[in-house]
Amino acid sequence: MRGLRCSAGPLPEEPSDPKQVLALLDDVGSPATVASTGGRYFGFVTGATLPATLAANWMAGVWDQNSAMRVMSPVSAALEDITLGWLRDALHLPPSTGVGFVTGATMANFTCLAAARHALLERAGWNVEDNGLFGAPPLTVVVSDEVHVSVLKALSMLGLGRSRVTRLATDDQGRIKSDSLPPSTTAR
């Protein structure tokens, strides 16, 4: 099945029976899924789901915690503290290291680029949170020719633009060729 085509009709005016909704999702959706967790899947770089991961995800869904603040979910806070400790140990990071957990690679790119934008503009004497980007010192963004689309999307959402990015040539293993690096700029 190349694609999923389904007409659900107009938005219902009344709630639907949850069992019927789940049955419909199973009938229509299950045949259109792609088995990407096996060893013979070569379509994209897709993370597979381990049984323990799936079970933990189900548990998190059942718990339905809002982890915005410690008081809202002590279990989420405790799990973040434990994971932070493990990451510090595994990566030999100093005790002062903090972390922010995100939903996936796209949000990780967005968050890291936002932090980098903040730090670089702060070094240049600009407070992006107070002043925005209008009139801010220009930033040079350098990526490889094999940059992931999520990085380009994050750059556009952060106001840094996709067309202003400097793309560098890569070798046959995807490494940036050092002779294609641009000269350093003042905002470091």
Side-chain angles (χ1 to χ4, degrees):
M1 177 181 269
R2 295 193 78 161
L4 175 65
R5 295 187 189 266
C6 171
S7 175
L11 177 66
E13 294 200 22
E14 299 293 326
S16 301
D17 176 17
K19 290 180 184 176
Q20 289 178 344
V21 172
L22 291 173
L24 176 63
L25 285 172
D26 185 35
D27 290 345
V28 175
S30 292
T33 60
V34 176
S36 62
T37 59
R40 301 295 303 160
Y41 178 76
F42 302 111
F44 298 96
V45 180
T46 306
T49 302
L50 299 172
T53 306
L54 180 59
N57 187 42
W58 288 345
M59 186 174 287
V62 170
W63 282 351
D64 191 24
Q65 297 293 285
N66 184 334
S67 58
M69 297 181 290
R70 287 183 175 275
V71 69
M72 295 176 74
S73 179
V75 68
S76 295
L79 292 172
E80 284 187 5
D81 290 343
I82 291 166
T83 307
L84 170 56
W86 289 347
L87 286 170
R88 284 181 186 145
D89 289 346
L91 300 174
H92 306 288
L93 298 171
S96 61
T97 300
V99 353
F101 292 98
V102 295
T103 55
T106 298
M107 252 348 263
N109 287 330
F110 181 86
T111 304
C112 290
L113 287 167
R117 179 191 69 182
H118 168 87
L120 289 171
L121 289 175
E122 184 178 56
R123 287 183 201 156
W126 189 265
N127 184 323
V128 69
E129 286 77 16
D130 285 346
N131 302 320
L133 291 174
F134 293 109
L139 296 177
T140 301
V141 178
V142 179
V143 299
S144 82
D145 268 340
E146 297 185 19
V147 63
H148 194 272
V149 67
S150 66
V151 173
L152 299 175
K153 181 67 173 178
L155 289 169
S156 69
M157 292 188 326
L158 288 166
L160 297 173
R162 289 180 286 205
S163 64
R164 295 182 52 199
V165 171
T166 301
R167 289 178 176 251
L168 301 182
T170 57
D171 65 16
D172 60 350
Q173 293 185 29
R175 299 174 296 199
I176 291 177
K177 293 181 178 179
S178 60
D179 60 350
S180 67
L181 289 170
S184 65
T185 60
T186 56
R188 287 189 170 167

